[in-house]
Amino acid sequence: MALVAAQRTYLIFTVVLLSSSYISLATPTTACQFTFLDGNKLYNYTLSSPIRNFPHGILSEDGFYKVSVNETTLWFQLCDGMIFNHDPPTCADCWDCGGPTRCGMDCSALVANNIGGYHVCTGIGRGPKVVVDVIDKKNPHTGVIVKMSSSSLKYNCSLAVSVLCNLNGVQGPQALQRLGDCNYATEMKHPSGCAMVVNVHGNGLGWFGTLLIIILCLFVVYLLAGIVYRFFFLKIRGIEVIPNLDFWISLPRKTQGLCSSLVRKFKGPSEGHRTSYSPVNF
């Protein structure tokens, strides 16, 4: 029971720290840990935690996700910076994300647009500027949205990646939306987008209610077993078939007497009652 109490205390402490708002600001190491409270349910998203068949959580094992639409190509990584062991970005003006020799290695999102026949890169996501939110507060099981941004002398850029809950597998980004001069949005499906739900307050009966139910069940079993035994083996009929009938009949009277005794004990002697030290007039 002490362990259960400790767990509930920890959950309440977590709620106080993490669920005062639906939005969580974080560094790269904690960017994909998001928790919020809705009623008596605590929704916990840990996108970077290992899960079955995905030891790296939502992180791409290639080191990055990539999606291309028309003349625009987007590279990004969730929960960490990008790593390019193959197929690195080849575009000009990559100074805000690693420079020509390490293009894409110093940010978490990079976009390349074809401008005048040249692919020009722009960093649109950096680790410290990450915001995590639930997609639909009325339906938290939909998933979360990870927003990252980057500011430079030329642009204020951002990327919003919707991570939809999908227990059946992974579907990488296939579409890319441009919402402004340097604002982009895409979506993907992943089991890591599914929340772990914890009942904080607990709608159960608790240990005392459970104990009462167990005692009641044992009493019913005892009563039924006694009735069956007396009816079939002892051939007793009528109300006498109930085991220990005299005890059950006398139980209300004994309970009343016990309650009266307790009342007299705590109330003290009534008015006019003589103690052993009361004077006696002859």
Side-chain angles (χ1 to χ4, degrees):
M1 302 309 301
L3 179 59
V4 174
Q7 289 175 341
R8 290 187 176 180
T9 302
Y10 171 76
L11 288 175
I12 294 173
F13 180 74
T14 302
V15 172
V16 173
L17 291 179
L18 300 177
S19 63
S20 58
S21 171
Y22 281 98
I23 299 177
S24 173
L25 299 178
T27 61
T29 56
T30 61
C32 292
Q33 297 179 4
F34 177 62
T35 304
F36 79 96
L37 183 67
D38 183 20
N40 65 337
K41 293 183 179 179
L42 186 69
Y43 292 86
N44 185 29
Y45 303 86
T46 53
L47 302 182
S48 58
S49 297
I51 57 177
R52 184 179 180 183
N53 298 328
F54 300 96
H56 304 289
I58 201 169
L59 273 73
S60 172
E61 294 185 359
D62 293 331
F64 61 92
Y65 292 99
K66 182 179 179 180
V67 56
S68 297
V69 177
N70 298 327
E71 299 296 326
T72 301
T73 302
L74 171 70
W75 299 266
F76 69 92
Q77 177 71 293
L78 296 177
C79 311
D80 204 351
M82 292 186 289
I83 299 175
F84 290 94
N85 294 319
H86 65 92
D87 193 19
T90 55
C91 50
D93 195 13
C94 195
W95 296 106
D96 57 346
C97 195
T101 59
R102 302 182 69 254
C103 186
M105 301 286 280
D106 288 352
C107 61
S108 47
L110 180 71
V111 65
N113 288 293
N114 191 318
I115 301 176
Y118 295 93
H119 285 88
V120 179
C121 278
T122 304
I124 59 174
R126 295 190 180 276
K129 299 181 179 179
V130 175
V131 178
V132 182
D133 197 3
V134 64
I135 294 176
D136 185 358
K137 293 181 176 64
K138 295 182 179 180
N139 185 14
H141 294 286
T142 302
V144 294
I145 183 168
V146 181
K147 301 178 182 178
M148 58 188 79
S149 61
S150 178
S151 300
S152 65
L153 296 177
K154 295 182 179 180
Y155 303 105
N156 290 324
C157 303
S158 66
L159 171 65
V161 182
S162 298
V163 183
L164 305 179
C165 172
N166 184 24
L167 295 173
N168 298 323
V170 177
Q171 179 180 320
Q174 297 179 345
L176 180 64
Q177 290 182 306
R178 187 166 184 169
L179 306 177
D181 292 337
C182 195
N183 304 107
Y184 300 87
T186 186
E187 70 175 33
M188 55 184 297
K189 296 179 181 180
H190 200 283
S192 295
C194 304
M196 294 179 60
V197 184
V198 179
N199 197 326
V200 177
H201 302 292
N203 289 328
L205 297 175
W207 69 269
F208 184 74
T210 303
L211 180 62
L212 289 180
I213 291 179
I214 293 175
I215 293 174
L216 180 60
C217 291
L218 291 175
F219 172 75
V220 172
V221 171
Y222 154 77
L223 197 64
L224 292 177
I227 291 175
V228 170
Y229 175 77
R230 293 169 65 86
F231 185 87
F232 290 101
F233 293 94
L234 301 182
K235 306 301 181 181
I236 298 176
R237 299 294 184 268
I239 196 173
E240 295 292 333
V241 75
I242 300 176
N244 298 319
L245 181 61
D246 293 337
F247 171 77
W248 303 119
I249 293 176
S250 64
L251 187 60
R253 178 174 53 81
K254 292 181 178 180
T255 303
Q256 183 180 7
L258 178 61
C259 292
S260 300
S261 176
L262 291 175
V263 169
R264 287 195 300 269
K265 180 178 180 180
F266 289 101
K267 187 176 180 181
S270 59
E271 185 178 356
H273 177 74
R274 292 179 178 178
T275 66
S276 59
Y277 298 97
S278 300
V280 179
N281 298 321
F282 293 97

